[in-house]
Amino acid sequence: MNVPLWLVPALPLAGFLICGVLGKKLGKSFVSAVGVGSVGLATVAAYSRLLPFVFGSRAPVVETVGGWIAAGSFSVDIAFRLDALSALMTSFVTFVGFWIHVYSIGYMRHDESDAGYARYFAYLNLFMFSMLTLVLAQNFLLLFVGWEGVGLCSYLLIGYYYEREYAAAAGKKAFVVNRIGDFGFLLGMFGLFGLFQSLDFDRVFSTAAADPARYAPFLTVVALCLFVGAVGKSAQVPLYVWLPDAMAGPTPVSALIHAATMVTAGVYIVTRCNVLFRLAPDAMAVVAVIGAITAIFAAVIALAQNDIKKVLAYSTVSQLGYMFLACGVGAYVAGMFHVMTHAFFKACLFLGSGSVIHAMGGEQDMRKMGGLKSKLPLTYWTFLIATLALAGIPPLAGFFSKDTILAGVFEHQRYVLWGIGIVTAGLTAFYMFRLVSLTFEGKFRGTHEQEHHLHESPPSMTTPLLILAALSVIGGFVGVPKVIREVFGSAREQNAIERFLSPIFVPLEESVEHALGAGTEWLLIAISVVAAVTGLLLGWNWYAKQDGRIPARIAATFPTLYELVEDKFDVDEAYDFLFVRPFNWLARMLWKVVDVLIIDGLLNAGAFLVELTGDLLRFLQTGNVRNYALTFFLGVVGLLLIVIGFTY
Amino acid sequence: MTTTRLVFDAAAVVALLFAAVMVLHRHPAKSVLSLVVSFFALATCYVLLTAPFIAAIQVIVYAGAILVLFLFVIMLLNVQQEEHRGDPHPIQRVLSGAALLLFGAMLFGLLRSHGGAGLPSDSSPIPDPDDLAAIARLLFSDYLLPFEALSVLLLAALVGAFVLARREKAS
Amino acid sequence: MISGIPLSDVLLVSGGLFVIGLAGALLRRNAITIFLSIELMMNGANLALLGYGAALHSLEGQIVVFFVIAIAAAEASVGLAIFVALFRHTETIDVNEIHLLKW
């Protein structure tokens, strides 16, 4: 008996309802059990379908729950899809999500009231429901429901500490910027419906693939519109500004939503729509360029950030850039591979930072940390492993995924973008080891009370760290490149993940790619490893060994440049000037002039006219009966005249 | 010119004359009395129009009760002769006069040209003027509802008049 | 022709009564006189009704007049009661002087 697919998102939805309605009254233990249990059950349910899928028949499965909209020629069903792509996404969304829920128990337990605790888990469950709906949907509209839902939960959870003005504002910012992306997504959906008269994945993609010449001209626009949605949701340039501020939310939220799952939705949609993009090469070029620009831009900003979570946030933006770069050049498998590995090590990093912040009693500024290695050993080692993975050091997971991306970019002959990717890899290693050094190495730079408070986190928090670190180590082995596998005796053309995801890519009439020679591949691997190691050593040397003297001197020599980078290139300020202020002005204009003066004025004028008429008419009421009688009579005479007039 | 017509014309002239007197007289009591005479003349007309029952009702109820009630009220309120004060709204008179002339002209013109036209030929039997039972039969069959409603109306008028006219109780 | 009386004559008389009553109602200032004029108008109508009843050989004219007279009685009593109550307050019967309902 098959567990129905709809049950997977439905379980967290039930968790949301229960925690939301009853949680306040029933206490933290109940909320913990339900909130984490619902996701746990969803994970089990998911894997009960995933495992047979992976190890058995890999034919796509569509399960329709029922009709949803049927309006003339427009009809959409509530239908879920299990294929390689959705299986991949579901596998780590549920698994990582589950462990983050477990982590949250330890993280949120002490500081929050029962009501706050229940609210947190309710929203987190609602998020899981939305995300799972997103990845399991069979049509664009149901996906959009999930898409909006994750945006909503992002807002709710970023603004979880709603009493802090900064957090509330950050939540709003996330929602508004996301909305801009969503608008693009909607336009894309309209376009799709206009072209294909359907929003169902199978229908759209098969129709497009069957007649490329007919649809290709329009698909550039449609694909770009959908990509705008991805830009918003996955924090690419220019819509990335919400992600760093989103760090105002609780750290597990940052780990789950803003590292492992929600932000990958953009990459998911691009990969899901690969047919459309591959038929619109110009759109793909845009995707690749934006991905590359975002990757390097965010990496540069991360160099000068002092808040531990902000560094990780910009790192996420940068890594997402890598994923889009991969998809943009056509290396979709590489992109999705990196999505998965990134989920493991980035979530581990965020949870680790949460552990650090928890131990520091809420402090997030790295300049006040240091020497935590001895006090928080578990956190340190897991953090280090995840950092090595992110930096791309073999044989950890990040190395394989990042290398696949870079090889793919090079293979498609986009050498400039490849160069950007290599430089960014170096920067990534550098700023990550800057982070590790400042936080864990050297001497403690904080206050005495903080030093006393330092303690390793409880098992509910360290267990997820261990599990995610382990996955960061072994997670890459599903995507080992051919040249390395040959060393170990495998003769297969494709690695595990390539084989797994290949059904997603319907064959189109594309130019045959030039496969790289073995020598070139080894060279590329070597270059990327060298870049990573260089960055690592430099970062460690400058910050751990030399206590940050050289960077301080550089900052002193170029103060304006340093400040510019530290202030994230003043992008927010620019947006405020270009967009926010004009809108505020417009809103005020519409209020004070259009609404108050014109509309209210018209209404008031109408009322005034009525009053005036009444004032004039009352003079008929003379109180004199004879006048009334005369008026009657005159009316009768008038009527008679009319009647006689008509009769003759 | 038959006798009936002659008598009718005479009675009509009397009625009109005394009606005019009523309208013109200064003292309301005298107006009432002129109207009484006018009503008597009208009753004669009614008889000539084969409606003796109505004539009797006219004399008993209209002249004998309603106008007597008027007299009672005049005496109760001790209404004096109307004083000769200038009319503060002469426009009322002018307009009224003009409208009346117009109306009168229209009315008489209409009656001249159409009075009596379009009537069916006298084929149906003339009702017996002395047959009171016929009227009673009609009242209690076809016109039963108005009849009963009328009784309710009279009750309402009775109560209303009583309530309206009583003195305020000194509190 | 009902027993020698042409209908047009009857209607003329009726119209005349009506107009005289109307003139009285519009042009007199004495409230009681106005009321009497109204009664006169009703009588004019009664005459017309009876005239047509006779011309059409129908008893219905008489029935209607019966009702009219009864209603006139009710109306007169109530109207006079109103006058009585009003004039206790205002002590005048000049209609021009009574304008309690003026704007």
Side-chain angles (χ1 to χ4, degrees):
Chain A
M1 236 277 292
N2 255 348
V3 167
L5 280 176
W6 60 261
L7 193 64
V8 176
L11 283 164
L13 181 66
F16 156 69
L17 289 169
I18 297 176
C19 288
V21 173
L22 300 173
K24 202 166 35 172
K25 300 186 201 113
L26 292 170
K28 287 190 183 154
S29 311
F30 175 79
V31 170
S32 310
V34 172
V36 178
S38 69
V39 180
L41 282 174
T43 311
V44 168
Y47 274 85
S48 79
R49 296 296 300 271
L50 290 173
L51 292 173
F53 180 83
V54 171
F55 294 109
S57 158
R58 292 191 187 170
V61 175
V62 176
E63 285 180 14
T64 310
V65 175
W68 179 16
I69 300 177
S73 59
F74 179 54
S75 85
V76 175
D77 290 336
I78 301 182
F80 295 97
R81 178 188 188 80
L82 179 64
D83 65 1
L85 187 60
S86 69
L88 181 68
M89 294 290 296
T90 310
S91 67
F92 68 80
V93 166
T94 50
F95 191 72
V96 173
F98 171 71
W99 285 110
I100 294 181
H101 277 71
V102 171
Y103 180 95
S104 299
I105 300 177
Y107 191 81
M108 301 294 285
R109 196 164 194 110
H110 298 295
D111 299 322
E112 302 301 321
S113 65
D114 278 9
Y117 194 74
R119 182 162 59 95
Y120 174 84
F121 272 98
Y123 290 159
L124 215 60
N125 271 4
L126 185 65
F127 170 81
M128 290 301 290
F129 159 71
S130 305
M131 189 71 204
L132 287 166
T133 306
L134 198 161
V135 299
L136 285 171
Q138 165 65 7
N139 57 63
F140 280 94
L141 201 59
L142 189 60
L143 187 150
F144 194 61
V145 170
W147 187 272
E148 296 273 20
V150 296
L152 171 70
C153 295
S154 180
Y155 161 76
L156 289 171
L157 285 162
I158 294 172
Y160 175 75
Y161 301 113
Y162 56 80
E163 282 149 13
R164 298 183 204 163
E165 198 178 320
Y166 172 61
K172 259 193 297 184
K173 181 175 179 179
F175 197 80
V176 171
V177 177
N178 248 228
R179 221 61 193 109
I180 300 174
D182 293 348
F183 181 63
F185 195 93
L186 271 173
L187 289 179
M189 275 206 292
F190 293 157
L192 282 173
F193 183 71
L195 283 175
F196 301 105
Q197 269 71 56
S198 169
L199 289 177
D200 181 274
F201 288 153
D202 285 329
R203 285 269 295 278
V204 169
F205 298 145
S206 55
T207 314
D211 199 351
R214 183 168 155 208
Y215 293 111
F218 305 101
L219 285 176
T220 311
V221 173
V222 171
L224 281 175
C225 286
L226 292 173
F227 181 59
V228 169
V231 166
K233 193 67 77 186
S234 297
Q236 297 297 289
V237 168
L239 295 176
Y240 69 91
V241 288
W242 63 271
L243 189 54
D245 286 312
M247 299 299 113
T251 308
V253 168
S254 307
L256 180 62
I257 298 185
H258 306 128
T261 49
M262 178 176 111
V263 292
T264 59
V267 187
Y268 168 75
I269 193 82
V270 171
T271 309
R272 177 58 82 193
C273 298
N274 66 82
V275 170
L276 303 177
F277 280 91
R278 281 151 69 204
L279 289 175
D282 296 328
M284 269 176 71
V286 170
V287 173
V289 168
I290 293 212
I293 292 177
T294 306
I296 193 165
F297 183 67
V300 169
I301 298 182
L303 294 175
Q305 296 304 307
N306 294 311
D307 181 327
I308 188 173
K309 283 177 76 173
K310 286 255 163 74
V311 177
L312 293 175
Y314 282 106
S315 170
T316 306
V317 175
S318 175
Q319 295 303 304
L320 288 167
Y322 267 109
M323 299 173 210
F324 282 107
L325 171 61
C327 293
V329 301
Y332 292 96
V333 176
M336 286 309 297
F337 185 27
H338 201 55
V339 167
M340 189 179 78
T341 58
H342 177 263
F344 298 145
F345 52 70
K346 199 41 86 51
C348 185
L349 286 171
F350 265 109
L351 294 184
S353 75
S355 184
V356 167
I357 295 171
H358 186 87
M360 293 283 296
E363 180 62 68
Q364 292 183 205
D365 191 333
M366 290 189 293
R367 296 172 290 194
K368 304 217 178 83
M369 301 180 189
L372 297 179
K373 180 160 79 173
S374 46
K375 301 286 171 92
L376 309 172
L378 253 172
T379 306
Y380 170 66
W381 283 106
T382 52
F383 202 92
L384 186 63
I385 292 173
T387 305
L388 288 169
L390 171 54
I393 306 294
L396 296 163
F399 159 70
F400 290 108
S401 57
K402 201 179 286 192
D403 176 75
T404 315
I405 293 179
L406 290 171
V409 175
F410 197 89
E411 199 172 42
H412 284 85
Q413 295 156 335
R414 316 290 275 272
Y415 303 118
V416 173
L417 298 179
W418 177 85
I420 294 178
I422 288 287
V423 170
T424 309
L427 290 174
T428 307
F430 177 76
Y431 68 66
M432 281 313 293
F433 271 90
R434 167 177 177 260
L435 189 158
V436 171
S437 309
L438 282 176
T439 309
F440 293 102
E441 305 284 347
K443 274 201 337 240
F444 184 68
R445 294 183 292 273
T447 68
H448 269 294
E449 305 115 59
Q450 284 173 329
E451 197 164 2
H452 275 282
H453 189 255
L454 289 174
H455 61 283
E456 183 59 272
S457 302
S460 63
M461 284 167 70
T462 53
T463 315
L465 288 176
L466 288 168
I467 294 190
L468 289 168
L471 283 169
S472 305
V473 173
I474 63 170
F477 294 140
V478 294
V480 181
K482 184 150 159 261
V483 287
I484 302 181
R485 276 182 291 123
E486 276 170 352
V487 170
F488 293 96
S490 163
R492 289 237 189 114
E493 187 59 38
Q494 289 179 312
N495 58 35
I497 196 166
E498 278 167 349
R499 270 180 289 126
F500 185 63
L501 285 178
S502 61
I504 302 292
F505 305 105
V506 175
L508 293 175
E509 298 152 27
E510 293 173 323
S511 53
V512 179
E513 298 133 29
H514 307 273
L516 292 175
T520 329
E521 269 219 57
W522 279 115
L523 184 62
L524 294 176
I525 293 176
I527 296 179
S528 67
V529 173
V530 162
V533 170
T534 314
L536 183 165
L537 287 176
L538 206 61
W540 192 68
N541 183 289
W542 279 11
Y543 287 96
K545 268 262 176 96
Q546 295 191 31
D547 249 351
R549 280 197 303 268
I550 301 183
R553 235 184 295 147
I554 298 180
T557 325
F558 303 103
T560 19
L561 185 63
Y562 182 77
E563 260 182 51
L564 190 63
V565 177
E566 196 184 14
D567 279 334
K568 43 190 175 55
F569 290 102
D570 285 325
V571 172
D572 283 312
E573 286 74 6
Y575 282 172
D576 180 61
F577 181 75
L578 286 173
F579 301 111
V580 178
R581 290 217 198 138
F583 266 108
N584 272 339
W585 177 86
L586 185 67
R588 195 159 294 116
M589 260 284 300
L590 286 175
W591 165 32
K592 288 242 165 82
V593 174
V594 174
D595 195 28
V596 173
L597 277 184
I598 298 179
I599 296 180
D600 279 356
L602 275 173
L603 288 176
N604 288 346
F608 173 73
L609 274 176
V610 171
E611 211 185 319
L612 185 68
T613 318
D615 265 346
L616 289 176
L617 281 178
R618 77 181 154 108
F619 289 121
L620 282 176
Q621 307 295 316
T622 58
N624 188 327
V625 181
R626 292 171 76 200
N627 291 348
Y628 298 161
L630 179 57
T631 319
F632 271 22
F633 181 49
L634 287 174
V636 170
V637 170
L639 277 173
L640 270 177
L641 278 173
I642 293 173
V643 168
I644 294 175
F646 272 119
T647 335
Y648 290 100
Chain B
M1 192 67 94
T2 58
T3 20
T4 37
R5 185 171 179 187
L6 208 60
V7 177
F8 181 85
D9 283 351
V13 166
V14 169
L16 283 168
L17 188 66
F18 276 91
V21 168
M22 178 219 84
V23 167
L24 292 172
H25 224 299
R26 292 263 149 242
H27 203 308
K30 295 192 187 152
S31 295
V32 173
L33 293 172
S34 351
L35 197 58
V36 171
V37 176
S38 179
F39 281 177
F40 268 93
L42 273 181
T44 332
C45 294
Y46 293 169
V47 169
L48 292 168
L49 288 173
T50 68
F53 174 60
I54 298 298
I57 299 286
Q58 171 93 343
V59 170
I60 297 172
V61 173
Y62 228 131
I66 295 176
L67 293 185
V68 171
L69 180 62
F70 268 95
L71 267 177
F72 278 167
V73 169
I74 289 170
M75 291 193 289
L76 177 69
L77 297 180
N78 199 13
V79 176
Q80 302 298 333
Q81 197 152 342
E82 187 172 308
E83 282 137 39
H84 234 302
R85 248 179 284 137
D87 193 347
H89 304 291
I91 186 77
Q92 168 98 1
R93 297 202 159 211
V94 171
L95 270 179
S96 307
L100 276 166
L101 282 174
L102 183 61
F103 181 73
M106 278 195 297
L107 196 60
F108 287 109
L110 266 175
L111 290 175
R112 276 275 173 199
S113 49
H114 287 282
L119 286 177
S121 52
D122 301 21
S123 50
S124 44
I126 300 174
D128 184 3
D130 294 325
D131 186 10
L132 208 54
I135 297 179
R137 234 172 279 127
L138 265 183
L139 269 182
F140 283 98
S141 57
D142 292 340
Y143 293 92
L144 182 60
L145 182 59
F147 185 73
E148 299 299 335
L150 185 64
S151 60
V152 175
L153 176 71
L154 287 173
L155 177 66
L158 176 70
V159 173
F162 179 77
V163 167
L164 282 168
R166 66 175 171 183
R167 283 190 197 279
E168 301 291 326
K169 294 210 186 84
S171 51
Chain C
M1 287 262 201
I2 335 101
S3 47
I5 304 170
L7 182 59
S8 52
D9 274 13
V10 177
L11 293 180
L12 267 172
V13 177
S14 154
L17 282 174
F18 187 82
V19 171
I20 294 174
L22 189 55
L26 286 176
L27 296 172
R28 293 299 308 263
R29 287 199 316 244
N30 190 324
I32 304 250
T33 316
I34 294 176
F35 209 170
L36 285 170
S37 312
I38 294 173
E39 300 295 333
L40 185 58
M41 282 199 275
M42 273 197 273
N43 273 277
N46 283 349
L47 185 60
L49 279 165
L50 284 175
Y52 269 104
L56 291 171
H57 297 175
S58 150
L59 279 177
E60 301 205 334
Q62 299 187 33
I63 304 281
V64 177
V65 171
F66 175 86
F67 283 121
V68 170
I69 294 178
I71 292 171
E75 166 229 337
S77 56
V78 173
L80 286 171
I82 292 176
F83 281 151
V84 166
L86 185 60
F87 294 138
R88 281 216 194 95
H89 279 284
T90 58
E91 317 231 328
T92 175
I93 54 167
D94 185 339
V95 168
N96 277 338
E97 308 270 315
I98 307 168
H99 40 72
L100 294 169
L101 288 180
K102 190 172 176 175
W103 77 82

